[in-house]
Amino acid sequence: MRAPFVHEATVGMAADGDTRGPGGAITLELCGSWDHSPPCPVAAHHTRAERAGGTVVLRVVFATEPEDEADVRRRIDQALHSGRVTSLDGVVSHWEFHGSRIGVPTPAEAEHARRLART
């Protein structure tokens, strides 16, 4: 049975950089494409990005089988290590991966995490 998890990562990004880029790279890594039928094949997930100057904090709420948690976290970091993604409209986003850690769901994320685990 799928369980909910949170992965938090930090990237450096130019002030005019598209904060959706890192989340897009994560989606491509976990799903293989931006456009697919639910559920996500590896881990149902949602990425939120918050900018603070040149730093963007990403919170990835995901649900997967507990035995697959480490692999999903590795894949998220792998996507962020790439440092770039090209959107469907050809715009290239760039960033620099600074690091990641295991996160704890905030109260606002907890219900969303439970819904993801049910998908």
Side-chain angles (χ1 to χ4, degrees):
M1 180 168 181
R2 287 184 171 196
F5 302 96
V6 174
H7 193 76
E8 187 173 291
T10 306
V11 299
M13 183 176 273
D16 63 347
D18 186 351
T19 59
R20 296 173 299 174
I26 292 167
T27 295
L28 288 174
E29 177 62 34
L30 295 180
C31 300
S33 75
W34 282 300
D35 187 25
H36 65 83
S37 298
C40 298
V42 175
H45 66 283
H46 172 76
T47 304
R48 181 172 50 95
E50 289 189 15
R51 182 188 297 278
T55 300
V56 176
V57 176
L58 303 157
R59 290 189 54 85
V60 184
V61 178
F62 68 94
T64 193
E65 301 296 328
E67 61 270 18
D68 295 331
E69 174 192 2
D71 182 57
V72 171
R73 292 184 188 281
R74 180 192 61 75
R75 291 177 73 162
I76 291 169
D77 284 351
Q78 179 178 305
L80 295 174
H81 269 289
S82 72
R84 65 176 284 152
V85 70
T86 304
S87 70
L88 291 173
D89 57 1
V91 175
V92 179
S93 294
H94 297 274
W95 62 87
E96 181 180 318
F97 181 67
H98 290 171
S100 67
R101 65 187 182 123
I102 294 172
V104 176
T106 65
E109 293 169 330
E111 179 55 33
H112 190 183
R114 284 190 289 277
R115 282 193 312 270
L116 288 173
R118 291 191 299 260
T119 62

